[in-house]
Amino acid sequence: MELKLYSAVGSNSSERVEWALNYKSIPYQRIEVSNKALVSSYLHINPFGYVPCLAVAGHMISESMAIIECIEELFPQQSLLGNSVFQRAAAREICEYVNSSIHAPQNRTVLKTFNPDLPEQAKRELRGQWISECLSKLKQKLCKDSPFAIGEDFTIADIFVATIYKKALQHGSPDNDFYDEHLRWLRQDNRIQAAEPSIDKPLSPVK
Ligand SMILES: N[C@@H](CCC(=O)N[C@@H](CS)C(=O)NCC(=O)O)C(=O)O
């Protein structure tokens, strides 16, 4: 089955899907979508104007969560969803919170609409601050049974949490010990680390 993933460097949502595909060792063609294409030619592929988007078996699927769930069903090996109905619910709960409540409001297009006059640097700070505030609430739900986000295995919850934390750092937010520890735990597993699309945060020494 041929897979084409429309993605963009620095796209948090695309990184989630790439990490899942890489972890499951599913071959795919990655197509980089430029900022210019996002608002022009690419709208024929995804009218939402967002990456990622997956072309598979004649279907065009957007929204990272929908894409990952589709990948899970097509390629159930190395499941990333959890081993029981409640683990799957917990994984989806974390991902939904990251996707809808943390990521969406700080999206560039949203800020441009609601706060068009804010200088670029102030926008970055605001985005980082928003993510950090939400991450401090999210922490209370994470790593209860093990150093993984939920349960005792690597799941999509780990992917969504680690990528949004890295986004906060890119926006200039300070390191957070809890999320550093989580990222370090993921990266000590060779398979998980090899699948991570961009390792833009060096491992800090264990404190
Ligand atoms: N809920 C969507 C969010 C997608 C999204 O926000 N994509 C960003 C990159 S991470 C994007 O394409 N932004 C384009 C823009 O802001 O113009 C998903 O999970 O796929």
Side-chain angles (χ1 to χ4, degrees), residues 8 10-17 35 38-39 42 46 48-53 62-67 99-100 103-104 106-110 112 127 160 167:
S11 159
N12 205 250
S13 314
S14 304
E15 208 174 295
R16 300 167 186 162
V17 175
N35 282 342
L38 266 179
V39 291
Y42 178 69
N46 181 8
F48 300 160
Y50 283 148
V51 283
C53 192
S62 65
E63 291 297 316
S64 58
M65 194 66 199
I67 296 172
N99 195 17
S100 317
H103 184 267
Q106 62 81 59
N107 215 335
R108 256 189 320 175
T109 41
V110 175
K112 211 160 99 188
R127 294 173 80 181
F160 277 56
K167 182 54 85 184

Side-chain angles (χ1 to χ4, degrees), residues 156-174:
I156 50 173
D158 292 294
I159 292 179
F160 277 56
V161 167
T163 50
I164 199 72
Y165 173 54
K166 288 196 284 175
K167 182 54 85 184
L169 296 176
Q170 283 164 19
H171 290 321
S173 297

